[in-house]
Amino acid sequence: ASLHIATKASKKKATKAQKLAKKKSIVTTQAKKGVGVRYRSGGVSRKGWDCSGLVSYVYKKAGVKPKNGRWSTSTLKKDKRFKKTSKPQKGDVVYQGKGHMGIYMGKKKGKHVMVSARNPRAGTTSHPVYNWNKGKVSFYTLKA
């Protein structure tokens, strides 16, 4: 009987892992689709967004909604659905220095890459994860 219970628990964990993988897949797909969207301070839609607006938008599409309509670079860190990680995976949130965030897209040609809404001139681009602000880069992943 205890073996049967353990099997059910394993199936539940696998289901949670599958749901998490699906959410991260949606996040990365939406982030890729967002490349080229214009930068708009305070924006949270494909009509225009800033860095936190992009993160809020792509996670909302994956069913993870910010409590107040959008995250800021400080409020997402406090959201209990996320945890800091030293082993980022595609779809995780990247913090570069103070006040800038984006979506981690994995490694390409030996460089860690992210998508972020950079500034009014550049808009939303895919670019290397720069070690801004003296290498202060951190990653946050969605909990299963």
Side-chain angles (χ1 to χ4, degrees), residues 21-131:
K22 177 72 174 166
K23 286 179 182 180
K24 286 191 174 188
S25 175
I26 292 168
V27 167
T28 55
T29 298
Q30 290 297 318
K32 285 178 194 175
K33 288 181 179 180
V35 171
V37 170
R38 73 183 185 100
Y39 181 95
R40 191 180 104 212
S41 183
V44 292
S45 75
R46 292 185 54 80
K47 292 180 181 178
W49 50 42
D50 56 18
C51 64
S52 60
L54 162 70
V55 172
S56 299
Y57 177 88
V58 300
Y59 268 94
K60 188 175 179 182
K61 287 290 187 180
V64 183
K65 297 177 183 173
K67 289 182 171 63
N68 295 321
R70 69 178 283 135
W71 284 295
S72 69
T73 53
S74 61
T75 59
L76 188 134
K77 292 178 186 181
K78 296 174 186 172
D79 190 314
K80 295 188 186 312
R81 294 173 289 180
F82 289 85
K83 65 180 179 180
K84 195 170 185 176
T85 183
S86 60
K87 297 178 182 177
Q89 298 175 351
K90 290 179 182 181
D92 287 346
V93 179
V94 181
Y95 282 93
Q96 294 185 303
K98 294 181 179 178
H100 187 69
M101 61 199 280
I103 302 297
Y104 183 69
M105 302 301 283
K107 257 186 160 179
K108 294 179 184 166
K109 297 183 182 178
K111 293 183 179 182
H112 294 281
V113 177
M114 69 186 283
V115 170
S116 73
R118 296 175 71 187
N119 57 51
R121 191 182 73 238
T124 306
T125 65
S126 176
H127 59 87
V129 176
Y130 302 113
N131 289 324

